[in-house]
Amino acid sequence: MLSLLLLCSAAFAGETATCGTSPAVDAQAQALHRHAARAVAKAANAAPTTRFADDVLYVDADQETVPFDDPADLEGMSLYFARRDDATFAVTRQPLFYDEDTGPLAISFGRGETSKVLPLTGFAFPFAGEAHTQLTLSVARGIHFEERIWIPNAAFDALDLMTQDVRLIAPLLDYVTSAGGRPEIYVKQTSGAVTITWRSQPGGHATYDIQAVLYASGDMRFAYKEVRNFNWGGVVVMTGRDEWKNDRTVVATLDDQTGELSPALGEARAMADLKELEISRIAGTSMLEFRFRLAAAIDRTTLPAGSSYLVFIGDSVNRIELVVHPDRLSYRLPQLGERPALAHIEGDEVVLTVTEELLAPPSNRGGTMRIWAHTNVGNVPADFITADVDFGTATAPFETDFSALTSVETARPLLETYRLGTVNVHGVWSRLKEEFGYRDDDIDAVAIYTSFLSDIIHSPYGAFATLSNCGADGVSQFATKSQPRTAMLMHMNSLMAFTSDDQLQILLHELGHRWLYYFRIMENGQPASTPNPKGYHPAQFVHTPAAFPVKGPSDSSVMGGAAFKHVGSGIYQSPAVSPFGFAWHELYLMGLAAAEEIQPWYYLTGTTLGDEYYPPSNVTVNANQVDVVPQQLIAAMGPRDPAYGKSQTNFRVLFVVLERPWSPANAALTARRTGFEQMFRTATGNRGTVSTSLSVAPPSAEFWSTATGATVTFEDNSTHVPLAWQWSFGDGQTSNARNPQHIYAAPGNYRVTLTVINGKGSASITKMVTVSGGRPRRRAAGRG
């Protein structure tokens, strides 16, 4: 049986992925939600946009629930690039012109191949001030030039491209390991043009048939005959001439406010002494540059690791930060993660770049905003500058919207990038709470799927869960009985991402993070995380036999480790890894076993086994066994409260599918839900159950009303979580809002009926509502 490490493979990206549950991922999910919440204006008393069927909630994928979603919209058009000089093109959008005579298949990339040279036989192609007699075609659908071959190895956006000093042409650029990669390339050459056609190989997720014609004059035509299910990549024409970047408008120069720094900062003091912050707008676009000028050049060999340079723009939601390590730079936008190409060090200057589109409103609207710039030596605050800055507004587009283009002429790079949406799990949960009244106290977890690919396929993991409070002490650093419970939100990837058994195993794993793996044990008088050194999963060297096997006697914990066999003096063997259960100590933390039931378990030392997940199947190791007893767990964490016998045993998990409004999903998830319920019962020895029903009982209808003249405000007070509302106001008008407001045309008594519906049934109630005033009648034309 494959381990979850392999089961979580990013099926479309072709990469091995893992579970992403961690405080870092949780923090990024929260930052994304803060960003998205600002960008969405919500109508009051609107009818729910979420629908339900088969005990599954179907939520609209919009800018609140899936921000940054921007699929390619090029199909059926051509783009013509007329060369004006070495750096300038005039671009027009035209009806599709596609040469069906594509020539023969010239290039089909094999495994490991990323580029192949194409000699030009009829002419030399003029581009960026040189005449080129050969091109390099890449697996990323790029046309590159001899001395400057750059092929993206990860998902990118326009700002990433702007930071590259390369010559590059691509009608739809991709990255090396992309799900839409490995094109078949057809080439036709004449004395006046070379026609290059890229077609997707059969069986891929994305389908495309696109073409670039390079003319002897230096003009170009891109044609998009077919572009289906393609949600990332970009149109690129870059000459590598970056004089345009020198067109800087300085919007503010902020001087040091604190003077000399404390000598306690040591030799790093001058490297954190912020003398000036210069903020510039580049070429009139939304591209902003923040330039820290320091008292001394940065020496990364002496600057303490983790030292940082950061800017808050408006507030903490808009935070950009460069963290300096001896061997690398880590530049982060909290809502988007690592963006290393967007920052660099120039001697005594640190340069951070961002576009206003990547910031949360109101910062992308220009105008005056508060700026805070900070430096830190290690984790110690060092220097700061703060001021109100008028950013003005962009006068030129950063990207070119080719599908809406008529014509444009520019010497800047011509770019438009497309990107997969980023699932905002907190936004999904907020939507469900707002529309239906679900509460954190009633729901343990929300399993969120997409009916399309999202940006998780570009990440190193296949699913993740947010940190949550299960409402118990003695379980984890994130849980406590004294604070309100919070639901755990699980990003479960695309509906198509995993096979049926894998889906159930991954569900069991992510639900396990409701309680696991955040504990410590007492060793040598100190709390230690030896069995889970990375903090969120057991290590490969931990003995985690399943208390109640699901698949067979060699089952081990779904969270990690293995059911090792002691086969000789100091010799241990892991069987074929079958992670489908929970170990006894895990059941204790879940509240499904007593401390005295915890069976002996141990970890191994002296091995080369890894710090997370599962060991290879059938591996034999020489090791020392270190036993762990329940008292070590209790000594470090305190006793579990509520204890077994008084703790929760039935857990509610909602199933949610995000769907695009123009492409409704009708996923048959009954087998997945019921299979998950059965697997959890088996894995817990029938001590625990999971309910995936949307409702616990049929609704009971009730409402209140408040009349102010002709206006009546209705408030639904039905119980058992209604999922749909049908109001009849007694005057022929209706509404599907949860708490509508209605204006009556005349005073009187009206019979108002509310019908509420959920996954278990429906109920109605009728009440008489008295209206004392009416809507003013419009005076007839021509009457006095």
Side-chain angles (χ1 to χ4, degrees):
M1 179 64 63
L2 292 175
S3 73
L4 188 64
L5 181 63
L6 297 179
L7 292 179
C8 275
S9 292
F12 300 109
E15 302 169 346
T16 297
T18 62
C19 166
T21 303
S22 72
V25 171
D26 184 77
Q28 185 170 325
Q30 294 185 40
L32 176 70
H33 179 50
R34 292 193 297 269
H35 179 282
R38 285 214 180 149
V40 178
K42 299 181 181 179
N45 300 320
T49 58
T50 300
R51 63 187 182 92
F52 67 99
D54 185 34
D55 274 319
V56 176
L57 292 161
Y58 292 85
V59 176
D60 277 357
D62 54 32
Q63 285 304 304
E64 179 185 23
T65 58
V66 191
F68 308 116
D69 192 23
D70 184 19
D73 55 354
L74 299 167
E75 185 170 286
M77 70 179 70
S78 289
L79 302 171
Y80 194 88
F81 299 79
R83 180 176 177 268
R84 295 289 189 252
D85 59 38
D86 290 344
T88 307
F89 286 89
V91 190
T92 56
R93 178 171 56 89
Q94 302 176 343
L96 179 67
F97 183 88
Y98 179 92
D99 187 353
E100 297 290 349
D101 180 11
T102 62
L105 176 64
I107 298 174
S108 183
F109 289 98
R111 183 173 297 276
E113 292 181 306
T114 58
S115 63
K116 293 188 178 181
V117 173
L118 174 68
L120 295 179
T121 59
F123 64 97
F125 178 62
F127 186 72
E130 295 184 21
H132 300 274
T133 58
Q134 69 178 32
L135 309 173
T136 299
L137 305 185
S138 73
V139 71
R141 292 190 301 277
I143 301 173
H144 311 261
F145 299 89
E146 301 87 341
E147 72 281 12
R148 296 183 184 178
I149 296 177
W150 175 76
I151 305 173
N153 58 15
F156 56 85
D157 64 17
L159 187 55
D160 293 323
L161 293 172
M162 285 286 195
T163 62
Q164 300 297 325
D165 181 21
V166 295
R167 302 177 184 181
L168 176 61
I169 298 169
L172 193 55
L173 188 68
D174 212 333
Y175 65 100
V176 171
T177 58
S178 165
R182 315 208 72 77
E184 293 182 340
I185 304 178
Y186 298 78
V187 177
K188 180 178 71 172
Q189 297 202 50
T190 67
S191 60
V194 56
T195 301
I196 305 168
T197 303
W198 294 263
R199 289 175 179 161
S200 54
Q201 296 184 6
H205 175 76
T207 302
Y208 52 87
D209 189 344
I210 57 180
Q211 195 172 77
V213 183
L214 310 186
Y215 296 96
S217 63
D219 290 0
M220 299 178 290
R221 175 182 278 118
F222 297 167
Y224 301 92
K225 181 179 180 181
E226 185 176 21
V227 181
R228 302 283 174 86
N229 297 321
F230 213 98
N231 304 311
W232 59 87
V235 182
V236 184
V237 176
M238 299 177 65
T239 63
R241 303 176 70 95
D242 59 0
E243 291 88 349
W244 66 274
K245 293 181 182 178
N246 298 324
D247 178 12
R248 284 179 167 82
T249 300
V250 177
V251 299
T253 301
L254 310 178
D255 293 328
D256 182 27
Q257 299 168 329
T258 58
E260 294 301 316
L261 302 186
S262 168
L265 295 173
E267 60 182 330
R269 178 177 57 171
M271 291 182 275
D273 189 356
L274 179 52
K275 293 302 183 183
E276 183 181 86
L277 176 68
E278 183 182 273
I279 306 171
S280 301
R281 186 179 292 277
I282 307 301
T285 70
S286 60
M287 186 174 180
L288 301 174
E289 179 185 273
F290 297 83
R291 186 175 291 266
F292 290 72
R293 294 197 171 102
L294 308 168
I298 292 178
D299 181 354
R300 288 163 59 181
T301 64
T302 60
L303 186 67
S307 296
S308 58
Y309 303 82
L310 59 96
V311 179
F312 296 95
I313 307 168
D315 58 26
S316 61
V317 174
N318 292 322
R319 168 182 173 141
I320 57 177
E321 179 177 17
L322 178 70
V323 181
V324 180
H325 301 278
D327 58 338
R328 63 188 176 88
L329 300 177
S330 172
Y331 176 65
R332 293 184 58 83
L333 297 166
Q335 66 269 29
L336 294 174
E338 293 277 352
R339 307 301 293 272
L342 307 185
H344 62 279
I345 296 172
E346 299 175 1
D348 62 354
E349 296 186 344
V350 173
V351 182
L352 310 180
T353 308
V354 71
T355 61
E356 291 173 308
E357 291 83 359
L358 295 179
L359 302 175
S363 298
N364 63 358
R365 298 173 188 159
T368 300
M369 289 170 289
R370 192 72 173 171
I371 295 296
W372 295 266
H374 294 262
T375 65
N376 300 289
V377 174
N379 294 320
V380 179
D383 205 354
F384 74 94
I385 291 177
T386 183
D388 293 320
V389 174
D390 185 356
F391 281 77
T393 56
T395 58
F398 183 73
E399 295 188 60
T400 303
D401 185 353
F402 287 107
S403 64
L405 176 73
T406 53
S407 63
V408 67
E409 183 171 326
T410 182
R412 290 191 294 107
L414 286 154
L415 307 171
E416 183 178 14
T417 52
Y418 308 98
R419 59 183 301 157
L420 290 164
T422 304
V423 173
N424 176 14
V425 292
H426 290 285
V428 174
W429 182 225
S430 293
R431 177 80 52 87
L432 299 183
K433 290 194 286 187
E434 291 168 1
E435 293 191 343
F436 304 126
Y438 282 116
R439 304 187 311 160
D440 282 87
D441 200 46
D442 299 327
I443 303 299
D444 291 281
V446 184
I448 301 168
Y449 294 87
T450 61
S451 61
F452 47 86
L453 298 184
S454 70
D455 79 321
I456 200 168
I457 73 164
H458 296 323
S459 74
Y461 45 82
F464 71 81
T466 61
L467 306 180
S468 64
N469 180 16
C470 64
D473 292 330
V475 175
S476 87
Q477 59 184 305
F478 307 111
T480 175
K481 188 179 177 182
S482 63
Q483 296 295 321
R485 286 163 35 104
T486 56
M488 185 176 68
L489 311 178
M490 306 187 298
H491 186 340
M492 299 305 299
N493 213 311
S494 163
L495 289 165
M496 307 87 73
F498 309 108
T499 62
S500 56
D501 262 7
D502 304 346
Q503 292 161 354
L504 298 181
Q505 185 197 26
I506 294 165
L507 273 165
L508 203 64
H509 178 100
E510 297 304 337
L511 181 61
H513 280 302
R514 177 73 165 158
W515 311 272
L516 313 169
Y517 235 81
Y518 314 110
F519 69 85
R520 292 184 292 180
I521 61 173
M522 194 67 72
E523 289 189 311
N524 300 318
Q526 296 293 327
S529 299
T530 313
N532 49 328
K534 290 197 173 179
Y536 323 114
H537 299 93
Q540 294 182 6
F541 49 76
V542 179
H543 180 55
T544 57
F548 301 100
V550 175
K551 296 291 185 179
S554 62
D555 278 5
S556 58
S557 168
V558 72
M559 306 306 294
F564 285 98
K565 293 181 179 179
H566 189 193
V567 295
S569 179
I571 301 175
Y572 297 82
Q573 184 180 64
S574 71
V577 177
S578 179
F580 282 98
F582 292 108
W584 277 108
H585 65 277
E586 296 169 351
L587 292 175
Y588 162 78
L589 292 167
M590 296 164 69
L592 301 177
E596 56 268 22
E597 291 185 281
I598 299 178
Q599 301 296 310
W601 60 295
Y602 56 83
Y603 61 87
L604 302 176
T605 63
T607 78
T608 57
L609 296 175
D611 288 340
E612 278 190 302
Y613 303 114
Y614 317 91
S617 294
N618 300 313
V619 66
T620 299
V621 296
N622 292 306
N624 297 315
Q625 176 178 317
V626 179
D627 294 326
V628 180
V629 298
Q631 288 73 20
Q632 291 176 265
L633 184 59
I634 295 170
M637 302 297 297
R640 194 193 198 280
D641 184 18
Y644 178 56
K646 297 181 180 180
S647 60
Q648 179 185 1
T649 59
N650 177 257
F651 309 100
R652 290 195 65 196
V653 177
L654 299 180
F655 272 62
V656 176
V657 175
L658 284 162
E659 59 180 359
R660 287 184 168 132
W662 65 86
S663 180
N666 292 293
L669 290 175
T670 301
R672 192 178 307 190
R673 290 190 304 100
T674 57
F676 172 50
E677 292 175 345
Q678 177 58 51
M679 182 176 284
F680 187 82
R681 284 195 300 270
T682 303
T684 61
N686 291 312
R687 298 178 177 210
T689 60
V690 165
S691 171
T692 61
S693 297
L694 297 180
S695 311
V696 297
S700 177
E702 179 59 273
F703 70 87
W704 297 342
S705 63
T706 303
T708 304
T711 301
V712 181
T713 300
F714 296 93
E715 181 180 350
D716 169 58
N717 278 278
S718 306
T719 58
H720 298 312
V721 190
L723 302 175
W725 296 263
Q726 298 171 357
W727 295 87
S728 176
F729 296 122
D731 62 352
Q733 301 299 308
T734 62
S735 174
N736 297 115
R738 182 182 181 189
N739 298 307
Q741 191 176 80
H742 184 61
I743 301 175
Y744 286 88
N749 296 319
Y750 296 88
R751 291 175 59 84
V752 177
T753 299
L754 168 64
T755 299
V756 289
I757 306 165
N758 68 14
K760 296 292 186 182
S762 63
S764 298
I765 188 173
T766 299
K767 291 184 178 183
M768 194 68 70
V769 174
T770 300
V771 179
S772 60
R775 188 201 313 263
R777 295 181 179 275
R778 183 174 295 173
R779 182 173 294 177
R783 300 284 180 100

